[in-house]
Amino acid sequence: MPNNNNEPWTTQQADKIYGVKAWGNGYFDIDLQGDVVVNNPLNETSNPVSLMKIIEGLKDRELHMPVLLRIENILDQSISELNETFNAAINKIGYGNEYRGVYPIKVNQQAQIVEEIAHFGARYNHGFEVGSKAEMIAALSTIEGTDSLIICNGYKDQEFIELGLEAVKLGHKCFFVIETLTELPIIVERSKVLNIRPHIGVRVKMTSQVGGHWSATSGDRSVFGLSARQLIQAVDYLKEHDMLDCLELLHCHLGSQIPNIRDIRGGVVEACQYYSDLCQEGAALSYIDLGGGLAVDYTGGQSSTGQSRNYSLAEYCEDIVDTIKHTLDAKGLAHPTIVTESGRATVAYTSVLLFNILDVVHFESEQIPESQEDEHQLLKSMREILTYLKPQRVQECFNDALFYRDEARELFKRGQIDLRVRSVVETFYYGILHQIKDTLNKMDRIPDELEGLADSLADIYYGNFSLFQSLPDSWAIDQLFPIMPIHRLNEEPTRRGMLADITCDCDGKIERFVVDQHVEKTLPLHEMLPEQEYYLGVFLVGAYQETLGDLHNLFGDTNVVSVRLNQDSSFDFVKEVHGDTIEDVLSYVEYHPREMKVKFRNKVEAAVKEGRISAKERQHMIKTFNASMQGYTYYEKEEHQGQDDLAV
Ligand SMILES: *Cc1c(COP(=O)(O)O)cnc(C)c1O
């Protein structure tokens, strides 16, 4: 990063380029030592905890990188903020009913997350939204108390419906949200057989279009929800079976990550219209469920673009409460219980992916080689370029350098120059490009073709993680996550780099970062130091990343560790889940580790028989093989191995 005014680098500058305050929601900050720290949301006066302190603790416990770190207090705080902010809006606006949140399990199904939400959320009667039998079973077995809601979405078969009816019998407020008309006869029939009055909801198809990545979830083409005609059929069917009083809830879901508050307001107005008309039809509605959509500001830009949001939580809650109140007051209807199904905003902040950098590749010009009497004509021509390199002629210099480099490649193919000459040409080429880049820095207008030159000369930092396993949305939908070094932030980051993971897949890289409020292809990073690990964090990864990930190149689940911050600025390691071993991932793809070990033993035994290795060597090979099978799938550094071993 250019630091124009030559003043010493400060952590404030680091905060500005990495935007910690902008996306951190008060949870994350940079301390004077230059470490990223976590603020204790429960106690403003306690000292924040440095992520590097946590990493020290992980090292002592031999929990190797990459590690998915969960900060449990942040999860608790997100639930409490959502409930408290809705309650405050209800009080402020004088709304005549309450708020009931439910957590949609699909957003992060990990038991530790779901159990913590059930446990902490009980004080707010925070319930669950489930979309499958498996999620239903998870919800039923973890939910505490019977005052929290269970909302069943998704296509429901008879077994799913019976589970739900049994939940009602146990006293739970469990709703079946009708997604398709085929579910209705099963619900009616089963509840008659089991003699239980079901709680029924209907999911309506919204015509309001919303911006953001998931805009296809809403509107006429949405695959979810009942059309106006189907709604009327549902009402008539329930009336026929004398069960219209069971229709208590109206459900809609505009989509996830809705960046613009005006879209949310528009959706609520439409939902209220459905609500009042269904009441007029005789339904006994008393719940309005607005689904998910509460966005996370991944870029910290506070804007209405896809990965941000142009509203605060308070604004979201007040707009919803206010819109329902005014729309229904005008129709003389009682205020329903407000339900939302916020997933992303509830769990995104709680998890941070931590990893170390394994290696860096620089596209650096070494010194431009001294001229030699007998050097190749190509090198002479390239040396020429430097004599006319000035702002007016940068494009020409670039064209020429490229021409000679390509010429060298052609000659090499035809055997007319050797590998050594070609290597000098490439060094020259990068040397010239760097000088062109320096010239561009002094120019006001940069020729179009040279816009991306600096990026193409950036370093590649190789991180010890798999994009496919840990950040699937970064790969699949270009999701931006805040990424930054978590220490040395009191030093100026003098390098620019893109990130590559360890899968060796050409898609396994990150080339979009938010830097000083702009999306850029490279991230400011520090020079690697010998003998010191360099750690990066990817933040806000608690939503949707953990189970969407796959076993690309057979990199498995990472180690997962939960910490809890205490009132007195200390912290505890409360839970740990060891990541997959090589044996684990092999068995996921139907290998049989036990048989593999036997086969390997037979192979080395045969080698002993043939006199190629000794029995002692055999023993060593078997030990190494078995230890690898039980090892972590990621890059493990041996104790004696310093940075030097990695230099190429
Ligand atoms: C996915 C989903 C949610 C969660 O949405 P977020 O935007 O993550 O809060 C809520 N309700 C339904 C029906 C969903 O499909």
Side-chain angles (χ1 to χ4, degrees):
M1 283 304 281
N3 180 9
N4 297 330
N5 38 25
N6 278 332
E7 283 180 11
W9 178 262
T10 62
T11 53
Q12 278 89 351
Q13 279 164 285
D15 179 67
K16 184 163 179 286
I17 62 172
Y18 298 115
V20 185
K21 284 206 177 62
W23 52 256
N25 203 29
Y27 298 132
F28 301 100
D29 220 330
I30 301 175
D31 71 4
L32 290 174
Q33 281 75 52
D35 290 354
V36 173
V37 293
V38 189
N39 290 317
N40 188 336
L42 300 177
N43 182 1
E44 278 167 23
T45 59
S46 77
N47 294 328
V49 171
S50 156
L51 289 181
M52 289 306 282
K53 269 264 163 56
I54 295 177
I55 285 185
E56 264 171 46
L58 294 174
K59 264 194 213 149
D60 294 343
R61 289 166 178 77
E62 290 189 17
L63 285 156
H64 299 294
M65 295 286 127
V67 169
L68 185 80
L69 177 71
R70 296 208 186 105
I71 301 133
E72 283 196 347
N73 314 57
I74 292 184
L75 179 56
D76 296 352
Q77 181 67 10
S78 302
I79 295 171
S80 139
E81 247 180 33
L82 181 63
N83 282 280
E84 300 285 355
T85 313
F86 259 113
N87 293 343
I90 282 171
N91 284 334
K92 182 173 162 189
I93 291 163
Y95 187 78
N97 210 324
E98 12 167 63
Y99 169 73
R100 281 299 162 86
V102 293
Y103 169 70
I105 292 185
K106 75 152 194 266
V107 182
N108 188 329
Q109 310 92 330
Q110 299 292 317
Q112 292 185 356
I113 295 276
V114 172
E115 284 163 9
E116 183 59 27
I117 292 175
H119 176 68
F120 182 86
R123 71 199 64 187
Y124 294 109
N125 294 316
H126 208 85
F128 290 109
E129 184 268 348
V130 300
S132 68
K133 282 180 278 190
E135 289 183 357
M136 176 73 182
I137 285 169
L140 253 182
S141 54
T142 43
I143 202 163
E144 294 179 14
T146 50
D147 285 332
S148 316
L149 307 181
I150 301 177
I151 307 276
C152 306
N153 287 315
Y155 296 116
K156 294 168 277 295
D157 62 9
Q158 181 164 327
E159 197 170 55
F160 195 161
I161 286 162
E162 284 184 10
L163 278 170
L165 288 170
E166 277 157 17
V168 174
K169 211 165 206 171
L170 292 172
H172 287 291
K173 195 99 190 176
C174 176
F175 280 92
F176 297 122
V177 177
I178 308 294
E179 304 248 8
T180 116
L181 288 179
T182 51
E183 295 167 1
L184 210 42
I186 312 177
I187 294 173
V188 168
E189 195 260 342
R190 283 289 101 190
S191 50
K192 279 190 179 146
V193 170
L194 296 172
N195 194 25
I196 299 164
R197 294 300 274 183
H199 302 290
I200 296 177
V202 278
R203 179 161 180 175
V204 298
K205 202 179 264 218
M206 301 290 275
T207 52
S208 303
Q209 279 285 356
V210 303
H213 180 82
W214 283 271
S215 52
T217 324
S218 58
D220 284 342
R221 293 289 304 153
S222 161
V223 292
F224 299 107
L226 305 179
S227 65
R229 193 169 137 254
Q230 290 167 323
L231 274 177
I232 293 299
Q233 285 174 319
V235 165
D236 291 345
Y237 188 86
L238 285 170
K239 205 183 276 174
E240 220 173 277
H241 291 83
D242 204 16
M243 286 173 78
L244 197 51
D245 62 312
C246 297
L247 181 51
E248 297 170 66
L249 178 142
L250 180 102
H251 184 281
C252 63
H253 172 65
L254 279 173
S256 195
Q257 182 68 15
I258 302 176
N260 193 338
I261 188 74
R262 291 186 291 277
D263 288 339
I264 291 171
R265 213 183 240 275
V268 177
V269 171
E270 188 180 355
C272 287
Q273 199 57 47
Y274 278 113
Y275 186 92
S276 72
D277 277 31
L278 284 170
C279 287
Q280 221 165 34
E281 286 287 331
L285 293 182
S286 57
Y287 289 82
I288 186 161
D289 181 343
L290 300 166
L294 174 57
V296 165
D297 193 354
Y298 291 98
T299 65
Q302 298 178 23
S303 77
S304 60
T305 61
Q307 326 237 325
S308 185
R309 69 178 196 196
N310 67 353
Y311 52 92
S312 64
L313 178 60
E315 212 177 325
Y316 174 81
C317 297
E318 286 176 21
D319 273 19
I320 287 176
V321 174
D322 189 65
T323 307
I324 298 176
K325 179 177 189 300
H326 282 100
T327 319
L328 297 186
D329 279 352
K331 299 170 192 290
L333 287 168
H335 299 165
T337 300
I338 298 173
V339 180
T340 69
E341 304 173 345
S342 275
R344 184 185 295 279
T346 308
V347 292
Y349 292 92
T350 190
S351 305
V352 184
L353 176 71
L354 299 172
F355 62 89
N356 53 324
I357 294 295
L358 296 172
D359 195 9
V360 183
V361 171
H362 299 300
F363 291 88
E364 199 72 318
S365 61
E366 270 130 69
Q367 289 281 306
I368 288 195
E370 292 282 312
S371 68
Q372 311 245 315
E373 273 300 306
D374 57 343
E375 74 184 356
H376 196 278
Q377 183 52 42
L378 267 176
L379 294 173
K380 290 201 174 114
S381 311
M382 290 184 100
R383 208 177 287 284
E384 269 292 301
I385 298 177
L386 297 173
T387 65
Y388 53 86
L389 177 53
K390 41 173 119 31
Q392 302 87 315
R393 295 178 72 179
V394 276
Q395 177 77 51
E396 181 187 348
C397 292
F398 176 72
N399 295 344
D400 293 349
L402 196 63
F403 173 81
Y404 294 125
R405 192 217 41 193
D406 291 347
E407 188 67 12
R409 291 181 174 180
E410 271 311 307
L411 292 176
F412 177 75
K413 259 196 252 172
R414 285 187 255 123
Q416 289 168 351
I417 61 169
D418 61 17
L419 187 57
R420 204 162 277 278
V421 174
R422 184 174 157 187
S423 139
V424 181
V425 170
E426 309 245 321
T427 311
F428 241 114
Y429 173 72
Y430 281 113
I432 295 169
L433 255 47
H434 272 277
Q435 297 205 7
I436 293 177
K437 188 187 81 177
D438 295 342
T439 311
L440 292 177
N441 279 344
K442 296 178 214 128
M443 294 167 59
D444 294 334
R445 218 195 71 75
I446 295 175
D448 288 351
E449 212 178 301
L450 302 183
E451 285 278 3
L453 185 68
D455 288 337
S456 70
L457 293 174
D459 302 335
I460 302 178
Y461 278 65
Y462 287 89
N464 193 10
F465 71 102
S466 159
L467 194 74
F468 306 93
Q469 176 62 247
S470 296
L471 301 171
D473 282 348
S474 171
W475 168 69
I477 56 170
D478 276 337
Q479 168 79 54
L480 285 164
F481 294 99
I483 302 178
M484 65 182 292
I486 58 162
H487 57 145
R488 299 177 60 190
L489 296 163
N490 50 359
E491 282 171 52
E492 181 175 355
T494 53
R495 312 291 316 176
R496 275 281 187 159
M498 54 160 280
L499 270 182
D501 74 359
I502 69 169
T503 62
C504 294
D505 185 307
C506 59
D507 281 335
K509 62 182 179 199
I510 303 179
E511 284 185 302
R512 290 176 77 233
F513 305 92
V514 178
V515 180
D516 201 1
Q517 301 281 322
H518 301 286
V519 178
E520 300 200 359
K521 277 187 138 165
T522 58
L523 186 66
L525 291 165
H526 299 89
E527 191 101 49
M528 294 278 280
L529 298 175
E531 310 287 320
Q532 203 196 77
E533 286 283 10
Y534 187 44
Y535 293 104
L536 264 55
V538 186
F539 293 81
L540 275 48
V541 296
Y544 296 104
Q545 302 313 296
E546 292 189 35
T547 22
L548 279 179
D550 68 19
L551 290 175
H552 201 58
N553 280 118
L554 296 186
F555 287 105
D557 280 346
T558 64
N559 292 322
V560 182
V561 174
S562 301
V563 297
R564 186 164 273 281
L565 313 182
N566 303 318
Q567 296 280 353
D568 64 355
S569 320
S570 66
F571 63 94
D572 298 321
F573 287 88
V574 285
K575 286 166 198 146
E576 64 185 60
V577 183
H578 287 257
D580 289 324
T581 61
I582 290 177
E583 201 168 280
D584 292 336
V585 296
L586 287 170
S587 58
Y588 298 154
V589 285
E590 310 301 332
Y591 288 90
H592 302 286
R594 196 189 283 257
E595 279 171 29
M596 294 168 93
K597 286 180 191 165
V598 172
K599 273 189 198 154
F600 186 75
R601 202 178 52 221
N602 292 343
K603 185 178 293 209
V604 284
E605 187 55 44
V608 175
K609 215 182 231 170
E610 290 161 21
R612 265 184 285 130
I613 57 169
S614 70
K616 263 214 162 113
E617 285 170 312
R618 176 203 106 126
Q619 223 27 40
H620 184 72
M621 285 182 187
I622 290 178
K623 269 197 190 132
T624 312
F625 186 87
N626 291 353
S628 294
M629 286 287 254
Q630 259 119 54
Y632 201 16
T633 58
Y634 293 88
Y635 193 102
E636 297 176 290
K637 271 187 201 171
E638 305 302 330
E639 280 301 312
H640 61 268
Q641 187 182 357
Q643 284 300 331
D644 284 349
D645 299 314
L646 294 173
V648 264

